[in-house]
Amino acid sequence: MYILGISAYYHDSAAALLKDGHIIAAAQEERFTRIKHDAAFPRHALGFCLQQAGISLAEVDHIVFYDKPFLKFERLMETYLAFAPRGFKSFRMAMMVWIKEKLFQKKLLLDELKALDGGDNLAQRLLFSEHHQSHAASAFFPSPFENAAVLTMDGVGEWASTSLGIGQGNDLKLIKEIHFPHSLGLLYSAFTYYTGFKVNSGEYKVMGLAPYGEPKYAQTILDHLLDLKEDGSFRLDLSYFDYCTGLTMTNTKFDALFGGPPRTGEERLTQREMDLAASIQAVIEAAVLRLTRDIVKQTGQKNLCMAGGVALNCVANGKILRDGHVEKLWIQPAAGDAGGALGAALAVYHGFLDQPRQRDAQSGDAMQGAYLGPAFSQAEIEARLLAEGAHFETLTEEALLEACAQALAEGKAVGWFQGRMEFGPRALGGRSILGDPRSAEMQSTLNLKVKFRESFRPFAPSVLREDVATWFNLHEDSPYMLLVDDVAPPHRIAMTAAQQQLFGIEKLNVPRATIPAVTHVDYSARIQTVHAQTNPRYHALISRFKQKTGCPLVVNTSFNVRGEPIVCTPEDAFRCFMGTGIERLAVGNALLRKEHQDPQRLRDYSSQFALD
């Protein structure tokens, strides 16, 4: 039995395919179209999933959309009626889109599917799952737990912005919800907008900026914006926000509360933005901890699964574990809307069809390390690279590992394109740019010369699972780079009295550890544990680097530049290689050296993509 899940028409469109409950493939549309957060119908991702299974769309038993458009339309109408006549301009703009497209979304979907030779009875095979049910299913059903509480938090689905569920075996029930317009996701997005970053794109920048500031405004947020109860339930004072009735997230009353208008565009970051980021991060952490503590108290469950955009806040996730109320935590690696495609399919297979769950004996969960996207044979890789005019040598695996580990030890940036592409926003050693974490210059080099992005942005370490507790305070698996914890004390460098007096971005160049390239200004790191079972070649590379240097970790950042989706094909990888400061590129067993390439193939990649 094949079930296809689809998410589309908001942001991060994706497709996912199950065969008898086993995840065959999953991918975001942006990786194929090269349009960041592409919201279009995911025909390329869908085509890949079918190709991976070797079937046609006509052979799919059920096709499931990740939310219910009519419930969203109901929310739009009720919101307007609640605030009328305020907000007529935004209502009119939204209605033009809804009447033209979304109100007839079922027909749009059927038309798209018919164009792909979807076969007979498409209308009968097309199903719809509620948004938070899709998120919850994506979190619980692939998890390693037989029983667990399930927490989903995002901006908003149809009505819910936060939901609590209980999962037992193949049964998942949502038992509690908080509804729009009250939303932790929208609150965080309001500060994303106010600090000058793009909503639904720049939230992780706010999280990365937070350690440079002090939470000076946290109490102001709690006094004026957010009524946060002891059990984690909350309400927003909507008079400070514009997202219900206007075209922006915040309004002039919000501006007055925080002492000025929003930062715009690429304006220089000031201490004010850093303190705002620290403040909203502290408030979100407090809210999430209250929610998770109450969940354990109310349900008696010590296992917790999470999904929704807020679940990508890996700093808060790390604090959930350290808080001690939750014993085991599992987070869907594609926690945002892309993962809704997978969750919708799983919700139908286990809930609607009452089928048993599947787990992977190697990875412990059903996500297979999140390596669910396209892969390329060595012959395909070589043909594609030759067509791009690339010069490469084909090595044995042993020689490739040696060459790449040596390049890393010499301080070179290495593009690493291996196996299946990751599903979700994180590069996990399939489509990664790697560096030496011991280098004091690597963080700024990768930001400014390779990624072309803001200098304050931290980088993550990929560490051998067997060595994680020696180098970090983390003792758990973190295969999906969704937990933050501190560098272990033996590897830290104490700050001088003068350094401790520094503020904001002045902290950036103060080395805090023997692995400065992955140590954030508060001694934290966003950790990926690398497992030999799920990614043997990546594990072998880091092991070889450890043999050479004594250091069992590497810098891992996504293989792209700012504003570009993560690379999908060998051609994408070569173009990014030739347009950035990456010095070595490993695509399968093909090794490319920058100095051996045709200079005419070099390109200015810094302005190739719209900034995110």
Side-chain angles (χ1 to χ4, degrees), residues 284-528:
I284 291 297
E285 289 168 11
V288 169
L289 286 176
R290 290 189 190 185
L291 279 167
T292 54
R293 289 167 188 165
D294 189 69
I295 286 168
V296 173
K297 179 181 175 183
Q298 295 296 326
T299 67
Q301 293 284 351
K302 294 286 189 175
N303 299 327
L304 178 66
C305 302
M306 293 175 60
V310 178
L312 293 171
N313 193 308
C314 47
V315 178
N317 297 341
K319 293 193 174 182
I320 291 171
L321 267 183
R322 292 193 296 276
D323 187 55
H325 289 74
V326 171
E327 291 181 1
K328 294 289 184 180
L329 178 64
W330 194 87
I331 305 153
Q332 166 56 237
D337 275 14
L342 175 61
L346 289 165
V348 166
Y349 186 76
H350 299 299
F352 184 64
L353 299 173
D354 196 27
Q355 295 297 308
R357 292 168 66 194
Q358 307 284 334
R359 274 192 285 276
D360 187 275
Q362 282 192 317
S363 62
D365 61 35
M367 289 299 295
Q368 305 160 53
Y371 306 111
L372 299 169
F376 300 85
S377 70
Q378 188 61 32
E380 284 181 297
I381 288 168
E382 293 179 16
R384 286 165 176 260
L385 289 176
L386 286 172
E388 288 292 313
H391 296 278
F392 59 88
E393 51 187 324
T394 301
L395 305 177
T396 64
E397 180 170 341
E398 176 69 18
L400 181 84
L401 293 172
E402 175 63 26
C404 291
Q406 184 60 39
L408 290 170
E410 293 170 359
K412 293 181 171 63
V414 175
W416 184 252
F417 184 109
Q418 303 292 331
R420 295 186 71 174
M421 182 179 69
E422 303 89 339
F423 182 49
R426 307 285 183 236
L428 302 170
R431 305 288 186 271
S432 293
I433 300 170
L434 310 178
D436 185 349
R438 304 168 303 153
S439 168
E441 295 79 35
M442 185 58 63
Q443 192 261 359
S444 60
T445 297
L446 287 177
N447 268 331
L448 301 177
K449 296 183 180 179
V450 174
K451 300 283 284 187
F452 306 125
R453 68 183 197 181
E454 302 94 338
S455 62
F456 71 84
R457 303 266 295 277
F459 288 103
S462 289
V463 58
L464 300 177
R465 173 63 182 93
E466 53 269 33
D467 289 314
V468 66
T470 304
W471 286 78
F472 302 96
N473 287 346
L474 183 69
H475 296 265
E476 307 288 334
D477 291 350
S478 181
Y480 303 122
M481 205 186 283
L482 287 170
L483 295 174
V484 164
D485 216 321
D486 291 340
V487 174
H491 301 287
R492 297 185 194 180
I493 298 172
M495 295 176 67
T496 66
Q499 289 170 341
Q500 290 175 350
Q501 299 303 309
L502 297 174
F503 286 94
I505 212 73
E506 295 172 339
K507 301 175 182 179
L508 178 61
N509 295 320
V510 177
R512 284 171 171 70
T514 59
I515 43 172
V518 295
T519 305
H520 208 6
V521 295
D522 58 354
Y523 288 103
S524 70
R526 176 163 49 93
I527 302 162
Q528 179 201 2

Side-chain angles (χ1 to χ4, degrees), residues 176-234:
K176 192 176 181 181
E177 292 183 340
I178 297 173
H179 285 180
F180 178 89
H182 308 286
S183 165
L184 293 178
L186 291 175
L187 175 64
Y188 205 89
S189 292
F191 279 86
T192 301
Y193 164 80
Y194 190 68
T195 51
F197 303 115
K198 287 188 178 180
V199 172
N200 292 327
S201 174
E203 283 78 5
Y204 60 95
K205 298 184 185 183
V206 176
M207 183 178 68
L209 188 63
Y212 293 96
E214 300 293 332
K216 296 178 178 178
Y217 302 101
Q219 195 57 50
T220 301
I221 296 170
L222 291 169
D223 288 343
H224 295 275
L225 303 184
L226 181 70
D227 179 12
L228 179 62
K229 304 300 185 185
E230 196 58 38
D231 65 356
S233 61
F234 57 86

Side-chain angles (χ1 to χ4, degrees), residues 63-188:
I63 303 162
V64 198
F65 194 67
Y66 81 128
D67 68 8
K68 295 191 173 181
F70 274 106
L71 289 179
K72 281 193 171 183
F73 182 70
E74 175 188 83
R75 167 168 57 82
L76 179 71
M77 292 296 296
E78 289 196 20
T79 300
Y80 172 67
L81 291 172
F83 288 91
R86 282 194 303 133
F88 178 73
K89 183 178 179 181
S90 63
F91 172 76
R92 182 183 62 190
M93 293 176 67
M95 283 300 295
M96 289 172 65
V97 175
W98 273 95
I99 291 172
K100 183 180 177 182
E101 298 177 2
K102 298 192 178 183
L103 195 56
F104 302 100
Q105 204 160 87
K106 183 174 182 178
K107 182 180 184 302
L108 277 177
L109 288 167
L110 289 171
D111 288 345
E112 292 280 7
L113 295 167
K114 286 175 185 174
L116 297 171
D117 296 323
D120 298 330
N121 303 319
L122 269 174
Q124 288 74 31
R125 291 154 54 206
L126 180 61
L127 304 172
F128 293 82
S129 171
E130 288 196 17
H131 188 96
H132 271 247
Q133 188 75 33
S134 298
H135 275 322
S138 79
F140 176 64
F141 290 130
S143 80
F145 308 137
E146 184 65 20
N147 302 288
V150 184
L151 177 63
T152 66
M153 300 173 289
D154 63 5
V156 62
E158 293 88 3
W159 275 106
S161 66
T162 302
S163 65
L164 168 62
I166 300 291
Q168 297 178 312
N170 70 342
D171 182 58
L172 173 62
K173 289 184 171 63
L174 299 186
I175 60 174
K176 192 176 181 181
E177 292 183 340
I178 297 173
H179 285 180
F180 178 89
H182 308 286
S183 165
L184 293 178
L186 291 175
L187 175 64
Y188 205 89

